[in-house]
Amino acid sequence: MTLGIDIGFIKLVLTHAAAVHGLPVKVEPVDFARVALTRLGLVGKGLQRDRRPTQDELDKLIAHFEANARQIAPISQIIRFAIATAMRQEEICKARWSDLESRTRMLLVRDRKDPRNKNGNNQRIPLFAATGYDAWAIVEERLRKRSNDDDRIFPFNHRSVGTAFRRGCADLGIHALHFHDLRHEGTSRLFEAGSTIEQVALVTGHKDWKMLKRYTHLKPEALHALLAARAA
């Protein structure tokens, strides 16, 4: 994967040199090199993660953090909120009370990750209970415990949250689970609940629906619920 990215950078530099500066360089050898490296198995597509936590793993993690009186950050709430909203770790820790619309139960997520637009990529998302966890109920939990003027709903460092999550997984013997997999899980649950690609994108912020496909690792048993809902 890294070698393929390096080849792409080399081609970009050579193309720029020829097109903009008129230097006598050729791009074709780079294309030939990519073909050769692909045939040798040295360049290829990176493996996409398809790790989904089981409900038992989630229940154990939530119970583990709720039982830990020394844990300052409410990791159990953050886990549930991550699956309920499919938000990224950093987005959750930046979410503001002032960006919350109580009447419509909407939250403005600022500067969402977008390879084509680094800043100002804001998106309003609904806070609902379509994934097994109720995002709005979690916000109300946070409101009842709000004790200062910090405008953040979860006023904690996102790196500290990630560290606590990894330690919790290690304590419980849960292997190969990353915090970002919770976004994956929330996205997949939206599909399993019967949402269309267009509807899921309104929650996750994906601009390229092809990218969204990598999150649709649906559980086969979910088809029973989908068919039953359609029949009803």
Side-chain angles (χ1 to χ4, degrees), residues 57-71:
E57 288 175 329
L58 292 173
D59 292 342
K60 286 180 178 178
L61 279 167
I62 291 170
H64 172 78
F65 287 113
E66 288 182 346
N68 186 355
R70 294 179 298 175
Q71 179 64 54

Side-chain angles (χ1 to χ4, degrees), residues 36 71 76 82 177 200:
Q71 179 64 54
S76 61
L177 185 64
V200 172

Side-chain angles (χ1 to χ4, degrees), residues 51-53 78-79 81-89 91-92 109 112-114 123 125 131 165 177-191 200-201 203-207 211-212 214-216:
R51 174 69 157 95
R52 291 186 60 179
I78 293 174
I79 289 173
F81 195 74
I83 297 175
T85 62
M87 288 171 64
R88 298 175 179 85
Q89 180 177 321
E91 291 172 343
I92 292 173
V109 183
R112 300 208 85 166
K113 183 179 178 181
D114 184 351
Q123 181 187 13
I125 67 169
T131 65
F165 183 83
L177 185 64
H178 302 168
F179 190 93
H180 193 74
D181 294 329
L182 303 182
R183 170 171 164 82
H184 180 156
E185 178 66 16
T187 305
S188 296
R189 288 190 181 200
L190 288 172
F191 280 108
V200 172
V203 179
T204 64
H206 285 89
K207 299 295 180 63
M211 289 293 295
L212 197 55
R214 70 187 296 265
Y215 292 94
T216 59

Side-chain angles (χ1 to χ4, degrees), residues 9 33 73 78 85 97 117 124 156 158 169 181 207:
F9 280 133
I78 293 174
T85 62
W97 290 109
N117 188 6
R124 294 171 69 249
F156 305 94
H158 74 277
C169 288
D181 294 329
K207 299 295 180 63

Side-chain angles (χ1 to χ4, degrees), residues 8 25 28 33 38 46 65 70 74 80 86 89 99 103 135 137 140 147 159 181 186 195 204 211 213 216 219 221-222:
V25 294
E28 290 82 359
T38 301
F65 287 113
R70 294 179 298 175
R80 290 184 285 129
Q89 180 177 321
D99 289 332
R103 183 181 62 82
E140 290 184 321
S147 59
R159 293 187 178 86
D181 294 329
S195 300
T204 64
M211 289 293 295
K213 283 185 177 180
T216 59
K219 295 176 180 177
E221 55 267 29

Side-chain angles (χ1 to χ4, degrees), residues 217-228:
H217 302 289
L218 308 185
K219 295 176 180 177
E221 55 267 29
L223 295 178
H224 289 297
L226 280 174
L227 293 173

Side-chain angles (χ1 to χ4, degrees), residues 1-210:
M1 182 66 176
T2 302
L3 185 56
I5 294 173
D6 290 341
I7 291 291
F9 280 133
I10 292 172
K11 182 176 180 179
L12 179 63
V13 171
L14 292 178
T15 301
H16 179 83
V20 177
H21 300 289
L23 297 179
V25 294
K26 295 182 179 180
V27 179
E28 290 82 359
V30 179
D31 293 327
F32 292 148
R34 184 186 294 277
V35 171
L37 291 170
T38 301
R39 294 289 180 85
L40 292 171
L42 298 176
V43 172
K45 292 183 178 180
L47 295 176
Q48 294 181 348
R49 286 186 60 80
D50 60 0
R51 174 69 157 95
R52 291 186 60 179
T54 65
Q55 188 60 52
D56 182 60
E57 288 175 329
L58 292 173
D59 292 342
K60 286 180 178 178
L61 279 167
I62 291 170
H64 172 78
F65 287 113
E66 288 182 346
N68 186 355
R70 294 179 298 175
Q71 179 64 54
I72 298 176
I75 307 298
S76 61
Q77 285 181 333
I78 293 174
I79 289 173
R80 290 184 285 129
F81 195 74
I83 297 175
T85 62
M87 288 171 64
R88 298 175 179 85
Q89 180 177 321
E90 189 171 2
E91 291 172 343
I92 292 173
C93 293
K94 285 185 175 181
R96 306 175 186 177
W97 290 109
S98 55
D99 289 332
L100 191 67
E101 299 174 11
S102 298
R103 183 181 62 82
T104 57
R105 297 190 176 185
M106 300 288 290
L107 174 67
L108 179 67
V109 183
R110 296 181 179 273
D111 296 326
R112 300 208 85 166
K113 183 179 178 181
D114 184 351
R116 294 167 298 184
N117 188 6
K118 298 300 182 182
N119 296 300
N121 184 33
N122 301 336
Q123 181 187 13
R124 294 171 69 249
I125 67 169
L127 299 179
F128 52 16
T131 65
Y133 296 103
D134 189 336
W136 183 253
I138 296 169
V139 166
E140 290 184 321
E141 289 177 25
R142 295 298 306 156
L143 182 61
R144 288 194 293 270
K145 295 183 178 181
R146 188 179 184 186
S147 59
N148 55 46
D149 294 330
D150 196 315
D151 194 33
R152 293 174 297 162
I153 299 173
F154 294 96
F156 305 94
N157 185 289
H158 74 277
R159 293 187 178 86
S160 299
V161 169
T163 299
F165 183 83
R166 288 191 295 274
R167 288 176 179 169
C169 288
D171 291 342
L172 296 171
I174 297 175
H175 303 291
L177 185 64
H178 302 168
F179 190 93
H180 193 74
D181 294 329
L182 303 182
R183 170 171 164 82
H184 180 156
E185 178 66 16
T187 305
S188 296
R189 288 190 181 200
L190 288 172
F191 280 108
E192 289 170 349
S195 300
T196 64
I197 289 180
E198 299 95 321
Q199 291 168 337
V200 172
L202 291 175
V203 179
T204 64
H206 285 89
K207 299 295 180 63
D208 186 346
W209 291 353
K210 291 180 181 178

